[in-house]
Amino acid sequence: MAMFSRLIRFLAKDGRTYYGDAILSSGVTDITKATQARVIKGDILGKHDITNQIADVRLLLAPFAREDVKTVRCLGLNYEQHAQESKMPLPKYPVLFYKPVTALAGPFDNIPVAAPAQEVEGLDYECELVAIIGKEARDVPESKALDYVLGYAVGNDVSHREWQLKRGGGQWALGKGFDGWAPFGPGIVSSRLIKDPQSLKISTKLNGKTVQDSSTKDMIFGVAKMISFLSQGTTLLPGDIIFTGTPQGVGSGRSPPLWLKDGDVVEVNLEGIGSCTNKIEHIKSKPKL
């Protein structure tokens, strides 16, 4: 699979967009600290080369271009303490839902809140480990499942609880699938560097204050188990993205609830990868002609 260590997609100072292997100083693991990268040429999910061409990073973009993403799968209620704060029983099987590809956004993009999601409070944050599939997988045993992972990122499964739980007809997708409601990045760290995805610190800050602080070890279904489960009778493709669930501390689990407001800044962080920092932006309705 991948030859890279830390894949980034970025706007360079020369005005062009590249895939690259982030260059970090010794001992640094936060991809947001990268100011340069070795340009990657070829098929990022197939045959590609890490060249000797060095480009200066101007802005980190979503790690995958939209055309390189196949599906966006998400797991709900996958942390034990989060299920408890949600007052819901621990699931016997992974709770799967999908987000549209248009929900994906970059690590520093604003999170747009369209008019329907402004009608009532309920906008929430969810920091998540994101696993990216690197090669075709079907009926994969749990013992081999991590061999199919290209790498890992951190993401925010932005959710509107009113649309998720009351206006969605029993399905979660409407409350989680608005444009730009799945920022992820800041890059993709190769699974060669992160050998155990179940031992990582994961957290969220809202306007600089920590509101989620946990570890991926609290997952009910670890990455290997969920990939094995999701591949039973269903082919996972290179470029499939899997948001793996959020820990406790979400706004809806608090009393009173802590809802996101226009102008709030949300930072989700994953150990060994870095952070996505995104500002909430209410979109003004376009005037009717």
Side-chain angles (χ1 to χ4, degrees), residues 23-256:
I23 299 173
L24 295 177
S25 301
S26 177
V28 176
T29 60
D30 184 349
I31 292 176
T32 63
K33 304 298 183 184
T35 59
Q36 292 185 316
R38 293 180 177 85
V39 173
I40 296 175
K41 294 186 177 180
D43 180 0
I44 201 64
L45 291 167
K47 182 175 175 53
H48 60 267
D49 295 308
I50 301 174
T51 70
N52 291 323
Q53 178 185 352
I54 305 296
D56 293 322
V57 177
R58 179 173 152 194
L59 177 67
L60 291 173
L61 306 173
F64 272 179
R66 187 179 293 178
E67 59 267 23
D68 290 326
V69 178
K70 301 302 186 295
T71 64
V72 183
R73 290 174 170 85
C74 307
L75 263 65
L77 297 175
N78 194 36
Y79 281 70
E80 185 170 341
Q81 293 184 61
H82 174 53
Q84 292 171 356
E85 74 175 351
S86 301
K87 297 179 174 57
M88 299 184 74
L90 299 186
K92 294 182 179 179
Y93 302 99
V95 178
L96 175 67
F97 62 95
Y98 288 78
K99 287 197 178 210
V101 173
T102 50
L104 293 175
F108 301 114
D109 293 343
N110 286 353
I111 297 170
V113 182
Q118 298 177 37
E119 294 174 357
V120 64
E121 290 184 317
L123 190 64
D124 213 343
Y125 50 83
E126 292 190 4
C127 61
E128 308 206 3
L129 179 151
V130 180
I132 296 89
I133 299 298
K135 59 183 180 180
E136 193 169 301
R138 189 176 189 276
D139 298 330
V140 174
E142 184 178 342
S143 61
K144 300 290 185 181
L146 296 184
D147 295 342
Y148 294 82
V149 176
L150 180 74
Y152 303 96
V154 64
N156 186 352
D157 174 16
V158 182
S159 308
H160 196 293
R161 304 307 182 189
E162 176 78 14
W163 280 92
Q164 176 190 353
L165 301 174
K166 296 181 180 179
R167 300 188 182 188
Q171 300 291 325
W172 289 358
L174 277 177
K176 289 172 170 282
F178 287 91
D179 287 354
W181 281 25
F184 80 117
I188 296 172
V189 177
S190 170
S191 55
R192 290 183 289 104
L193 299 183
I194 297 180
K195 297 185 182 301
D196 181 10
Q198 305 309 143
S199 61
L200 305 175
K201 294 179 182 177
I202 186 168
S203 63
T204 299
K205 289 183 179 179
L206 175 57
N207 299 324
K209 180 180 178 181
T210 299
V211 289
Q212 288 183 286
D213 188 8
S214 187
S215 169
T216 55
K217 68 182 179 182
D218 191 48
M219 282 188 191
I220 298 169
F221 306 101
V223 176
K225 184 179 289 294
M226 74 177 69
I227 289 175
S228 175
F229 179 86
L230 294 175
S231 74
Q232 300 307 303
T234 301
T235 302
L236 305 180
L237 297 173
D240 280 353
I241 292 174
I242 304 173
F243 279 65
T244 61
T246 195
Q248 78 281 3
V250 296
S252 58
R254 297 170 178 266
S255 183

